[in-house]
């Protein structure tokens, strides 16, 4: 069945501004900021009832960290913008009231109170077998993931799960099997469940998940057949080494590449790929319940959706019984499939590359594009040993990333090479989280936002390939970064079209919200459009008559106070060109708030997160 297409986005499609030339990270968005200034001058949760959050026990090492607690609101905001999606006044107060960064982290590790993606789909009726054919559509998963990211509790867990989705990559875009939306809800739930668990368990759950099985061909992969020339598919065996565990080259603990005679040493060979592929044979969707549903008005039936959240099942007769030798490990001939999988995953998990390879990319997602070798080594050491002899403890890894002196220290704020370009989808999520965004109908009917011309050019769980939206080693050509070999992964999304598209999209969204088709019904509908996902701006309206106070407030909650005095003055002057008093109409007040937010979200100091 042909999938329903997403509706056109209502955002404006003004002529895009050219992408700014960048000699370092800081001045990335000069042109974007100018465009926003011109534009500005011209112009609910779905969780079950919650118990009080548990107080976590600090069970990860905190010695060696120089910054135990935020000294000011800006410090707290900076930490929160790395650890989660937003830093509202209330969230800043909660962190500072906790007493230490470590205790705040322990509380996040202890709590998991959100409605799962799967249960949200069920609550909205997407598990029904009816004439809406939800089982053949992608869009329920888009609604699900936007609901998860834009609302609800467990924000750090969700931020980490999103980072993990860009490391263990699958894509909803290419999912063409029944109950695909439920499979991707289950995929999201898998990342959420394992976000603060152990990498070894996460690797196994990723390997056996039906979404990954379909995406990288483990589903239906069969053993060799000499009479026909069939050999096991090598897609997953290659990518699990190249992208999900080892990387291409052997690494030192600090992430630097090992060489011999000046030549990088490869971490695996084609023989490793071919042998490892034998382990991933015999697996397929687990449809063992044998339940079939009659589709109203159709002559065919479909299977139960339960397979979409079960690990793939093994059919022994389709599993290779040949010996397999890879990465120094051997699976003896005739080893049962489950035992072969254990040997393989243990070999991957214990490879010395995994700590630095995984740690560096998680630092890139949360803190900075170019962590120093020493920073990588410190985090990788925690991956190798959490302080209690446990390897792969993700709580210890993420605590080490966020508590490191390079992440917390003021010296990083002065560096022109520290920091990262905020991903477009993170900017959008931060807008909603910061300014009271909610779906008035509770439907969260936001489709994919991958069009860079009039959307944001990025949508969660929809990377264009297994290499994610951008490569971790991407170096923007023609810049000072390329001269020094410095990586800036998110810059791979930046061009003339995407800069203009982002500005136009955010101008529309900040003012009106997201235009959703018939928010009152769960199906796509494509009629009776209404601005359903909107922000309240209640805090901002409380200080709207004082342009300086408004800009300072938005600078804190969006940039952790990192707007320069000169940038703030330009914004205040632009806002004061249209006087606003207590007697002004609500629309006039809102226009000032909209303009202030747009100017900040287009500024270089905002787009580069430090």
């Amino acid at each position: 069945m042909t999938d329903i297409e997403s509706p056109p986005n209502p955002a404006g499609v003004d002529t895009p501004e050219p992408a700014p030339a960048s000699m370092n990270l800081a001045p990335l968005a000069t042109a974007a900021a100018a465009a926003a200034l011109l534009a500005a001058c011209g112009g609910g949760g779905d969780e079950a009832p919650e118990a009080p959050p548990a107080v976590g026990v600090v069970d990860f090492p905190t010695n060696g960290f120089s910054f135990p607690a935020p000294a000011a609101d800006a410090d707290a905001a900076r930490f929160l913008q790395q650890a989660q999606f937003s830093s509202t006044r209330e969230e800043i107060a909660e962190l500072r009231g906790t007493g230490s960064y470590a205790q705040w982290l322990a509380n996040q590790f202890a709590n998991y109170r959100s409605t799962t993606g799967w249960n949200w789909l069920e609550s909205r009726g997407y598990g029904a077998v009816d004439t809406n054919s939800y089982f053949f559509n992608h869009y329920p998963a888009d609604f699900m993931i936007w609901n998860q990211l834009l609302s609800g509790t467990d924000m750090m867990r969700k931020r980490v799960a999103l980072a993990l989705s860009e490391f263990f990559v699958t894509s909803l875009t290419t999912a063409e099997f029944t109950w695909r939306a439920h499979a991707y809800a289950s995929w999201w739930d898998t990342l959420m469940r394992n976000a603060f668990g152990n990498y070894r368990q996460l690797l196994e759950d990723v390997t056996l998940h039906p979404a990954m099985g379909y995406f990288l061909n483990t589903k239906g992969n069969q053993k060799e057949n000499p009479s026909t020339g069939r050999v096991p598919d090598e897609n997953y065996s290659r990518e699990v080494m190249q992208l999900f565990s080892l990387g291409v080259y052997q690494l030192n603990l600090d992430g630097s590449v090992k060489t011999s005679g000046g030549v990088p040493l490869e971490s695996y060979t084609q023989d490793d790929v071919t042998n490892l592929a034998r382990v991933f044979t015999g697996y397929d969707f687990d449809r063992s319940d044998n339940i079939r549903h009659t589709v109203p008005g159709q002559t065919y039936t479909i299977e139960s959706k339960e397979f979409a959240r079960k690990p793939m099942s093994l059919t022994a007769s389709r599993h290779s019984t040949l010996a397999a030798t890879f990465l120094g490990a051997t699976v003896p001939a005739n080893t049962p499939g489950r035992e072969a999988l254990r040997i393989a995953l243990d070999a991957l998990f214990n490879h010395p590359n995994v700590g630095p390879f995984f740690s560096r990319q998680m630092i890139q997602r949360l803190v900075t594009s170019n962590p120093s070798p020493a920073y990588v080594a410190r985090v990788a050491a925690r991956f190798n040993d959490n302080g209690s002899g446990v390897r792969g403890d993700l709580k210890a890894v993420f605590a080490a990333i966020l508590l490191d002196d390079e992440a917390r220290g003021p010296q990083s704020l002065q560096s022109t090479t520290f920091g990262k370009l905020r991903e477009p989808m993170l900017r959008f999520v931060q807008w909603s989280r910061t300014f009271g965004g909610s779906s008035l109908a509770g439907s969260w009917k936001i489709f994919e936002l991958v069009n860079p011309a009039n959307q944001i050019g990025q949508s969660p769980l929809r990377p264009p390939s297994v290499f994610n939206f951008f490569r971790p080693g991407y170096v923007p050509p023609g810049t000072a970064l390329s001269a020094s070999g410095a990586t800036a992964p998110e810059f791979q999304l930046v061009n003339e079209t995407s800069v203009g598209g982002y500005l136009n999209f955010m101008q529309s969204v900040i003012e009106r919200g997201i235009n959703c088709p018939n928010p009152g019904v769960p199906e796509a509908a494509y009629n009776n459009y209404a601005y359903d996902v909107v922000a309240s701006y209640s805090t901002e309206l409380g200080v709207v008559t004082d342009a300086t106070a408004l800009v300072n407030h938005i600078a804190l909650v969006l940039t952790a106070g990192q707007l320069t005095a000169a940038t703030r003055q330009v914004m205040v002057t632009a806002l004061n060109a249209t006087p606003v008093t207590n007697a002004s109409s609500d629309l006039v007040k809102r226009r000032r708030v909209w303009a202030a937010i747009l100017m900040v979200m287009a500024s270089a100091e905002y787009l580069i997160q430090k």
Side-chain angles (χ1 to χ4, degrees), residues 204-221 236 280-287 306-315 338 341:
E204 181 167 338
D205 289 353
V206 161
T207 299
L208 295 178
H209 197 279
M212 181 62 79
Y214 181 89
F215 185 63
L216 289 182
N217 308 119
T218 309
K219 174 201 175 315
N221 192 14
Y236 187 72
F280 302 121
T281 55
Y283 289 93
D284 212 325
F285 292 163
D286 184 353
R287 297 182 172 113
E306 289 306 308
F307 79 88
R309 61 174 171 179
K310 293 180 182 178
M312 289 187 294
S313 60
L314 176 68
T315 300
R338 294 294 183 184
L341 182 68

Side-chain angles (χ1 to χ4, degrees), residues 293-317:
H293 297 287
T294 300
V295 181
Q298 304 294 334
T299 58
Y300 59 83
T301 63
I302 64 163
E303 70 271 61
S304 160
K305 61 179 173 286
E306 289 306 308
F307 79 88
R309 61 174 171 179
K310 293 180 182 178
M312 289 187 294
S313 60
L314 176 68
T315 300
S317 62

Side-chain angles (χ1 to χ4, degrees), residues 539-550:
T539 301
E540 294 66 42
L541 289 170
V543 294
V544 70
T545 58
D546 185 337
T548 299
L550 178 62

Side-chain angles (χ1 to χ4, degrees), residues 480-549:
L481 294 173
S482 62
S484 64
T487 55
E490 294 85 353
F491 271 70
Q492 200 167 353
L493 295 175
V494 177
N495 54 50
E496 291 86 348
T497 299
S498 67
V499 170
Y502 162 69
L503 287 171
N504 291 330
F505 177 81
M506 288 311 304
Q507 181 173 16
S508 173
V509 167
I510 290 167
E511 293 183 10
R512 298 187 292 272
I514 294 290
N515 199 15
C516 304
N518 202 340
V521 299
E523 61 267 25
Y526 305 114
N527 57 28
N528 300 323
Y529 280 76
Y531 286 96
D532 178 69
V533 179
V534 297
S536 66
Y537 304 119
S538 56
T539 301
E540 294 66 42
L541 289 170
V543 294
V544 70
T545 58
D546 185 337
T548 299

Side-chain angles (χ1 to χ4, degrees), residues 46-166:
D46 299 281
E47 292 68 45
E50 300 170 2
V55 176
V57 176
V58 179
D59 60 355
F60 48 86
T62 59
N63 57 303
F65 298 113
S66 304
F67 303 93
D73 284 354
D75 297 317
R78 183 188 185 200
F79 173 85
L80 291 170
Q81 288 172 28
Q82 294 168 345
Q84 55 178 37
F85 297 117
S86 61
S87 57
T88 65
R89 295 280 185 175
E90 294 76 16
E91 291 158 357
I92 290 169
E94 178 187 359
L95 168 57
R96 299 197 70 184
T98 302
S100 70
Y101 292 123
Q103 185 59 59
W104 185 91
L105 287 171
N107 293 349
Q108 310 313 304
F109 298 154
N111 290 309
Y112 186 3
R113 295 172 289 153
S114 295
T115 298
T116 63
W118 182 284
N119 286 346
W120 188 84
L121 288 182
E122 289 295 288
S123 72
R124 295 291 300 163
Y126 293 119
V129 178
D130 59 23
T131 56
N132 290 305
S133 301
Y134 297 131
F135 43 83
F136 279 141
N137 277 287
H138 297 89
Y139 68 78
D142 288 314
F143 302 167
M144 175 279 302
I145 192 60
W146 286 123
N147 162 265
Q148 289 280 307
L149 298 179
L150 298 176
S151 69
T153 57
D154 303 301
M155 207 190 314
M156 181 183 173
R157 184 180 291 269
K158 291 175 179 177
R159 178 68 190 92
V160 168
L162 188 62
L164 293 173
S165 78
E166 296 185 89

